[in-house]
Amino acid sequence: MTLHNDKIIILDFGSQTTQLIARRIREQKVYSEIHPYTLPLAELKAMQPTGIVLSGGPASVYDEDAPISDPGLFELGVPVLGICYGAQLMMQQLGGRVEQAEKREFGKAELKISYTAGLFAGMETDPHDYQVWMSHGDRIEAVAPGFVATATSNHSPLAALRHEKKPFVAVQFHPEVAHTLIGTDVLRNFIFGLCNCEPTWTMHSFIEATVAEVREKVGDEQVICALSGGVDSSVVAAMVHRAIGNRLTCIYVNNGLMRTGESESILRFFREKTDLTVIDVDAEDYFLEQLDGIVDPEVKRKRIGYGFIKIFEEEANKLGKIKYLAQGTLYPDVIESVVFRGQAPIKSHHNVGGLPEQMQMELIEPLRELFKDEVRELGLELGLPEEAIYRQPFPGPGLGIRIMGEVSGERLHILRQADVIVLDEMKKAGWYRKVWQSFAVLLPIQTVGVMGDGRTYENVIAIRAVDSRDAMTADWSQLPYDLLGRISTRIINEVRGVNRVVYDISSKPPSTIEWE
Ligand code: XMP
């Protein structure tokens, strides 16, 4: 069985919204993947794409070092959609002309459509205006031979184009963003109308194909998987188990830095509802010893990471020779993002980083083509409990990086109690699933308070709640004051040793989501 019947390949020229193009296409049940614009033509051809999308990007096609994809892709006989920079590149490579626009066009614009087939099938012509989202400083001045305009906007007389004989189309606006109200229709018209894709990419078909693939790759060998309590590793375990049954062994290392009940419920699920083999290692004392007296965040992270690898390895070795390690790598970690103008490359946190080389294991990464929301969908399809699937992300080093300063049993106890209250109130108020993460942080300072008639000198808890799409950027969540009030009152009343609660109102960047 092949994994994907139809496949739309997106060549990335560095736009902030390239990932969105892939998501929007996959939402239509058509598989799509992103590659850098430098992808060699032979490789692109070997992928047998059903369609190709050239993404937007921050450069100008007339820049000396402009990113240029191989123009040979126009000879593959495959439909091509150019978006923004991709549209301009298509024009330039096929003989048109692009110039700096007198007026740049950013944000919402009104599109007038003159051709209601192809990309605009099902839409109406002038005088109907459609809201689209633009973001460009250059514009197409002269169309390439064979192309005609299909829509205009105030500042772009050539806002959309089509080739009269070949399946090449281009739009100056961004169909992938929500502000382009006809965006989904435009993408649908491309993938179904021009590329003739079938909407067969579903989680059900994905599971079937992946299970077969894992089964074939693993053969008679053994696989281990580190279960963390989070959704990604749970889904990986469930999926690999479906493929190879009890030749998968999961190892759960309790590092003593988990939230109250965080992993117990997952373990309970796997033990009670599946026949998965889970080895549960209680290493709480070991980790606390390792963290004794450590204040520096990086040293904490390293010691926790190292400790995890050591214990995992010890347990794995007891099982004999293991060939494969299953791991929950997601698509955003895999995409080789095109980086412009010194932006920091995307960094990924791998909890079991370093293990495969050290233990000479090969990786099995069944989620490496999926976005987080797809993993959740997959988890539901695999029958994982909802509470596990919609659990907020939790960092590998756990509460260790949410206790500023020294980590001790006593301070962990304070933070755990505060954390339970935050989550409890977030859930009761219906806010838990609305935010990306919400948690408590224990600060390394004490402040003066008054309780009853007496002076107190106790700890401060900071509350952090953020909105985010993928954790690369985030904004502090505008939680209602009364919710914040309830959280604060409960923490101060119920958690001994805390007399003050503050709310973190920093975005990322320049802050990060976690405090350490
Ligand atoms: P930052 O603090 O870098 O966090 O803005 C971004 C996202 O990653 C999570 N995080 C981690 N996850 N291992 C993980 O598995 C780690 O070492 C780690 N550090 C941060 C963090 O909770 C947020 O969702």
Side-chain angles (χ1 to χ4, degrees):
M1 183 183 317
T2 59
L3 255 179
H4 319 295
N5 296 328
D6 289 318
K7 186 190 280 180
I8 304 284
I9 299 291
I10 299 163
L11 292 187
D12 181 19
F13 293 91
S15 164
Q16 307 259 332
T17 54
T18 302
Q19 282 201 23
L20 272 183
I21 307 173
R23 297 170 80 116
R24 293 288 105 86
I25 294 175
R26 291 185 186 193
E27 278 163 17
Q28 299 303 322
K29 301 192 173 19
V30 171
Y31 182 70
S32 167
E33 55 183 48
I34 301 170
H35 292 273
Y37 67 88
T38 47
L39 182 73
L41 186 63
E43 282 180 39
L44 175 62
K45 195 173 171 186
M47 290 173 188
Q48 300 186 318
T50 327
I52 297 170
V53 177
L54 309 178
S55 87
S60 284
V61 290
Y62 50 74
D63 282 351
E64 229 171 71
D65 53 354
I68 304 284
S69 48
D70 192 321
L73 65 87
F74 295 107
E75 308 295 327
L76 297 178
V78 172
V80 184
L81 165 65
I83 295 176
C84 196
Y85 176 88
Q88 297 165 3
L89 182 65
M90 182 189 287
M91 281 308 108
Q92 201 202 36
Q93 287 187 322
L94 295 178
R97 202 175 71 247
V98 175
E99 280 174 15
Q100 197 166 13
E102 247 168 59
K103 279 214 167 88
R104 304 191 309 168
E105 215 174 7
F106 284 103
K108 287 176 192 166
E110 298 295 328
L111 189 78
K112 280 189 201 312
I113 292 171
S114 55
Y115 177 77
T116 56
L119 281 189
F120 301 124
M123 292 165 222
E124 291 168 26
T125 53
D126 201 26
H128 203 106
D129 284 354
Y130 292 95
Q131 180 189 307
V132 295
W133 194 76
M134 298 272 197
S135 172
H136 61 109
D138 296 345
R139 71 177 201 180
I140 298 163
E141 288 298 327
V143 296
F147 280 85
V148 290
T150 53
T152 61
S153 72
N154 280 353
H155 299 298
S156 303
L158 305 171
L161 303 155
R162 72 179 179 98
H163 194 285
E164 286 188 299
K165 298 216 174 69
K166 297 178 182 167
F168 301 152
V169 282
V171 290
Q172 188 56 72
F173 60 89
H174 287 266
E176 69 277 18
V177 305
H179 302 297
T180 295
L181 301 181
I182 49 168
T184 304
D185 297 316
V186 168
L187 288 174
R188 279 179 61 87
N189 284 333
F190 178 66
I191 56 184
F192 298 125
L194 274 81
C195 303
N196 288 315
C197 291
E198 295 281 341
T200 51
W201 158 256
T202 61
M203 280 308 141
H204 183 72
S205 63
F206 177 82
I207 292 172
E208 276 184 22
T210 310
V211 161
E213 203 181 39
V214 170
R215 202 174 279 150
E216 196 187 313
K217 175 165 178 183
V218 171
D220 296 330
E221 301 287 342
Q222 301 278 328
V223 181
I224 49 171
C225 171
L227 210 52
S228 72
V231 57
D232 304 343
S233 67
S234 302
V235 169
V236 166
M239 185 108 130
V240 176
H241 183 253
R242 189 174 276 205
I244 58 162
N246 61 13
R247 273 181 292 119
L248 169 71
T249 306
C250 294
I251 300 177
Y252 170 69
V253 179
N254 176 10
N255 59 13
L257 303 168
M258 303 305 284
R259 296 168 147 169
T260 312
E262 180 93 29
S263 289
E264 283 85 345
S265 69
I266 287 274
L267 284 174
R268 203 180 315 120
F269 168 79
F270 278 116
R271 289 200 163 133
E272 290 172 9
K273 299 273 165 57
T274 73
D275 46 6
L276 202 83
T277 312
V278 184
I279 297 174
D280 182 358
V281 193
D282 186 357
E284 191 165 358
D285 292 342
Y286 167 80
F287 278 92
L288 281 185
E289 233 168 70
Q290 289 297 308
L291 291 175
D292 190 30
I294 305 295
V295 183
D296 184 282
E298 277 311 299
V299 179
K300 275 188 198 173
R301 276 177 175 275
K302 288 213 175 88
R303 291 205 171 191
I304 298 169
Y306 169 81
F308 181 84
I309 290 182
K310 176 178 144 5
I311 290 172
F312 190 87
E313 205 177 351
E314 281 170 10
E315 290 303 317
N317 283 336
K318 288 184 199 161
L319 298 170
K321 179 79 188 142
I322 307 265
K323 187 158 178 203
Y324 295 103
L325 172 74
Q327 176 167 280
T329 313
L330 301 194
Y331 196 45
D333 300 328
V334 175
I335 303 173
E336 212 184 306
S337 296
V338 174
V339 174
F340 281 100
R341 304 197 176 127
Q343 294 163 351
I346 293 175
K347 124 186 141 191
S348 56
H349 309 269
H350 284 299
N351 296 333
V352 287
L355 257 179
E357 297 89 55
Q358 207 161 317
M359 294 183 63
Q360 296 173 350
M361 284 187 291
E362 284 177 45
L363 283 177
I364 295 194
E365 299 175 309
L367 310 182
R368 57 182 287 123
E369 292 177 344
L370 303 186
F371 290 112
K372 190 90 181 179
D373 44 352
E374 292 172 324
V375 173
R376 292 191 159 129
E377 216 183 298
L378 186 62
L380 286 175
E381 181 84 26
L382 286 163
L384 289 173
E386 276 215 9
E387 61 163 300
I389 285 168
Y390 293 103
R391 180 166 284 142
Q392 292 174 358
F394 187 68
L399 299 182
I401 54 165
R402 291 183 181 170
I403 292 179
M404 305 301 101
E406 213 173 310
V407 179
S408 65
E410 193 193 336
R411 290 174 69 75
L412 273 165
H413 184 59
I414 292 177
L415 182 59
R416 279 204 182 100
Q417 293 174 78
D419 200 68
V420 167
I421 294 172
V422 175
L423 295 186
D424 186 43
E425 290 298 332
M426 290 293 288
K427 284 178 183 166
K428 274 198 213 146
W431 272 83
Y432 180 79
R433 284 202 202 171
K434 283 192 207 163
V435 301
W436 174 265
Q437 271 172 301
S438 48
F439 54 88
V441 177
L442 179 58
L443 304 196
I445 48 163
Q446 290 180 297
T447 68
V448 173
V450 51
M451 263 187 209
D453 290 327
R455 174 187 190 271
T456 57
Y457 187 55
E458 291 176 336
N459 291 292
V460 184
I461 287 281
I463 309 296
R464 179 78 161 140
V466 294
D467 301 327
S468 177
R469 229 182 43 216
D470 50 16
M472 297 311 301
T473 61
D475 205 355
W476 59 279
S477 305
Q478 307 220 355
L479 298 182
Y481 283 168
D482 57 343
L483 171 57
L484 286 169
R486 279 196 301 280
I487 291 174
S488 163
T489 307
R490 277 194 61 193
I491 290 177
I492 293 170
N493 285 343
E494 294 173 31
V495 184
R496 277 186 160 246
V498 176
N499 69 356
R500 192 176 297 270
V501 171
V502 296
Y503 189 49
D504 179 352
I505 50 168
S506 344
S507 62
K508 171 186 180 174
S511 301
T512 52
I513 296 177
E514 303 290 346
W515 278 41
E516 286 195 336

